Amino acid sequence: MAKTTVGGASRRRVLRLAGGGLALAALGAGAAGCREDDADGPAAGGDKPAGSKEPSTGGGGGGEDGKAPKALWSQSVPAETYGDNDELVAVAGMVIASGSPLSARDAATGKERWSLPDGVAPGAPLLLGDGTLYLASGKYDGTVSGYDPASGKETWQGRLGKEYRQPRPIAVDARQVYVVAEILEEDNSSHTNLIAALDAGSGKIVWSEQRDLGTEQNGVHAAVQGRHLVYTDFKKNLTVRDTSTGRQVWTQKTEKTNYGFFTVHEGLVIVPQGDRLHAYALADGARKWTVKAGHLTTFKEPAVVDGVLHIADSARTVRALDPATGKEIWQSKALAEAGFQVPRQYVKAGKLLCIATDLDKDGGVAALDAATGELRWTFNDGTGDHHSWLVATDGKRVFALHGKKLHALPV
């Protein structure tokens, strides 16, 4: 895989963000499941990145003397992922990776506890809301289903109707499940799509709105905060709707495509745009603050974790910012100094900020001190698999997925 270059995006990034399409669905077909008796032995931590400096140690668990931690367990899993952050979740004592069959592993032991033969449509997210795991059906039968993540039993189902195709959830709150779907024409073709809200209790349609001609169903990233549903797409659209009525509150074209990545925090939507990071008010779209990246660098994917905004740039500098104001809390160049790659996903476990990268021989998972940005350890399983890394945590362990290898790392 070619590395992401300054100001651009890797070919794999574009492919994975289109992962919900029928072509990629076909690519995902035929994956075989792996039962618990196929388990691999615990994996040792990967070698340090080439040219890396020995990171200092500190609180937060994991490796000793700056070395990568030894995995508590490692398993082969039937994962089918495209690198989106919502394709690996840890909930209800389980860790679940998107795939077909969909396999739920015991977080403590790695043993399979349940599986769904039809799995989830490739590229569709695993969404958690009010103790329910929502999935786009791998059967392509027009349904969206909700499951108990502890047992795998179906507890909810929503259906738009036969005049729509490939409904998939994009966001969820305590009251509603938000989906996008293609609108079918009489000849079974589709040129438009809609966004709709399904009642989280009954599964019935609360509201539905046709999106503008030229918008796409794939590549949509969404989040809900209060009465606002916010989403982006490949067409450089940033749109906010009222969750009660579906009414469009505001929409605007973003300056540059950000491949759908943004984060929300207390009435703000925070969007990277090349070398600028902008925060807009969810209520009216007014710009509230802007942060500029360094010379000839671009911002990557942002995340608010434990009330702190984290974002890296293409020079591998990681910033911790106050999401309300954009003011810097700390800045770390430790990843660049260690020869590690640009992070694209963040979770906090104990005192550690654990990050994951796209695939690179010097990538993997790294742990930073959440208070200072100091590098504690890095982990790479050495498989050379072409998939991106994904991380999730249950607070006790950090789970790292790389292709079809799932590792549980100590906190």
Side-chain angles (χ1 to χ4, degrees), residues 226-247:
R227 57 183 289 266
H228 296 112
L229 169 67
V230 56
Y231 56 95
T232 58
D233 60 24
F234 284 155
K235 298 293 186 178
K236 302 182 183 179
N237 296 308
L238 176 64
T239 303
V240 176
R241 291 185 181 272
D242 185 290
T243 56
S244 297
T245 65
R247 178 182 62 86

Side-chain angles (χ1 to χ4, degrees), residues 86 127 169-172 178 180 195 219-224 229-232 260 262 264:
D86 47 20
L127 291 182
I170 57 171
V172 61
Y178 305 91
V180 292
I195 186 166
V220 174
H221 287 237
V224 185
L229 169 67
V230 56
Y231 56 95
T232 58
F262 67 91
V264 294

Side-chain angles (χ1 to χ4, degrees), residues 59-76:
E64 298 177 357
D65 298 327
K67 296 179 181 179
K70 184 177 181 180
L72 300 171
W73 54 260
S74 294
Q75 292 277 359
S76 294

Side-chain angles (χ1 to χ4, degrees), residues 51-358:
S52 67
K53 297 180 180 179
E54 190 74 21
S56 61
T57 59
E64 298 177 357
D65 298 327
K67 296 179 181 179
K70 184 177 181 180
L72 300 171
W73 54 260
S74 294
Q75 292 277 359
S76 294
V77 294
E80 295 173 3
T81 62
Y82 296 93
D84 277 345
N85 296 346
D86 47 20
E87 294 178 312
L88 179 70
V89 297
V91 60
M94 303 291 167
V95 56
I96 308 168
S98 181
S100 181
L102 187 71
S103 174
R105 302 272 164 169
D106 187 292
T109 66
K111 294 182 178 180
E112 185 179 89
R113 294 306 183 194
W114 56 263
S115 67
L116 298 176
D118 295 306
V120 61
L126 307 178
L127 291 182
L128 294 169
D130 199 26
T132 301
L133 175 66
Y134 293 95
L135 306 174
S137 174
K139 296 179 180 179
Y140 300 97
D141 60 356
T143 61
V144 178
S145 298
Y147 298 86
D148 174 8
S151 66
K153 294 181 179 178
E154 187 177 84
T155 57
W156 179 90
Q157 188 175 98
R159 182 187 293 271
L160 284 175
K162 294 182 179 180
E163 63 269 35
Y164 306 104
R165 181 170 60 193
Q166 283 191 284
R168 60 184 57 215
I170 57 171
V172 61
D173 58 24
R175 298 182 301 112
Q176 294 172 161
V177 182
Y178 305 91
V179 301
V180 292
E182 296 175 354
I183 301 173
L184 291 177
E185 306 293 339
E186 291 185 359
D187 62 358
N188 210 37
S189 66
S190 178
H191 308 290
T192 55
N193 65 90
L194 62 72
I195 186 166
L198 304 177
D199 188 275
S202 67
K204 295 181 178 180
I205 298 174
V206 178
W207 53 258
S208 64
E209 295 287 339
Q210 182 172 326
R211 298 178 68 210
D212 294 340
L213 186 66
T215 58
E216 297 178 359
Q217 178 193 13
N218 299 318
V220 174
H221 287 237
V224 185
Q225 187 177 91
R227 57 183 289 266
H228 296 112
L229 169 67
V230 56
Y231 56 95
T232 58
D233 60 24
F234 284 155
K235 298 293 186 178
K236 302 182 183 179
N237 296 308
L238 176 64
T239 303
V240 176
R241 291 185 181 272
D242 185 290
T243 56
S244 297
T245 65
R247 178 182 62 86
Q248 185 170 287
V249 179
W250 58 267
T251 187
Q252 61 177 271
K253 287 288 185 179
T254 52
E255 298 163 8
K256 298 179 180 180
T257 182
N258 69 330
Y259 297 98
F261 297 115
F262 67 91
T263 190
V264 294
H265 178 75
E266 295 184 354
L268 295 176
V269 53
I270 302 166
V271 186
Q273 293 288 280
D275 65 350
R276 298 293 199 278
L277 181 65
H278 299 307
Y280 302 95
L282 283 173
D284 58 12
R287 188 179 296 179
K288 294 300 183 181
W289 56 257
T290 297
V291 172
K292 190 178 186 303
H295 182 60
L296 295 178
T297 59
T298 56
F299 280 119
K300 300 302 180 180
E301 298 161 50
V304 175
V305 182
D306 200 20
V308 177
L309 172 63
H310 299 93
I311 192 166
D313 61 32
S314 55
R316 294 174 286 180
T317 298
V318 181
R319 292 171 173 84
L321 308 174
D322 179 347
T325 64
K327 292 183 178 179
E328 189 172 285
I329 299 171
W330 53 255
Q331 182 180 128
S332 174
K333 298 183 182 297
L335 296 183
E337 292 170 354
F340 205 68
Q341 294 306 302
V342 178
R344 45 159 302 276
Q345 187 186 12
Y346 307 81
V347 298
K348 187 178 179 185
K351 297 179 180 180
L352 297 179
L353 179 69
C354 294
I355 62 176
T357 71
D358 275 334

